[in-house]
Amino acid sequence: MTIGEWAVRLRYRYVPDHIVGEVLGRRWMDNVIPVTLLVALTFYLVATIPNFVAFGNLSDISSRSANSV
């Protein structure tokens, strides 16, 4: 058995392509991915920006959002 054949055998044994494809093919996955990215971005901003969730900052963000529409 060559190294290439050995690598292909390991790939098909340990990489679940069909499982990932089945999960990503579901209808609910279209909604889960953007929500997950939004939650991850929110956690990142809370962790990196001081006083991001302070009342004054949230009030300022909401008033600027309302005025921009």
Side-chain angles (χ1 to χ4, degrees), residues 1 3-21:
M1 179 177 352
I3 294 176
E5 292 171 348
W6 178 75
V8 168
R9 180 175 283 182
L10 283 178
R11 180 200 175 282
Y12 283 113
R13 181 176 291 166
Y14 295 113
V15 178
D17 292 2
H18 59 284
I19 295 173
V20 173

Side-chain angles (χ1 to χ4, degrees), residues 13-30:
R13 181 176 291 166
Y14 295 113
V15 178
D17 292 2
H18 59 284
I19 295 173
V20 173
E22 286 288 325
V23 169
L24 291 176
R26 303 287 180 190
R27 290 183 62 202
W28 53 266
M29 188 55 70
D30 292 338

Side-chain angles (χ1 to χ4, degrees), residues 16-65:
D17 292 2
H18 59 284
I19 295 173
V20 173
E22 286 288 325
V23 169
L24 291 176
R26 303 287 180 190
R27 290 183 62 202
W28 53 266
M29 188 55 70
D30 292 338
N31 298 329
V32 170
I33 292 173
V35 170
T36 303
L37 291 174
L38 178 65
V39 169
L41 178 64
T42 302
F43 280 126
Y44 173 75
L45 292 175
V46 167
T48 57
I49 298 174
N51 298 324
F52 182 73
V53 290
F55 177 74
N57 189 34
L58 294 177
S59 174
D60 186 44
I61 290 172
S62 63
S63 68
R64 289 176 188 252
S65 303

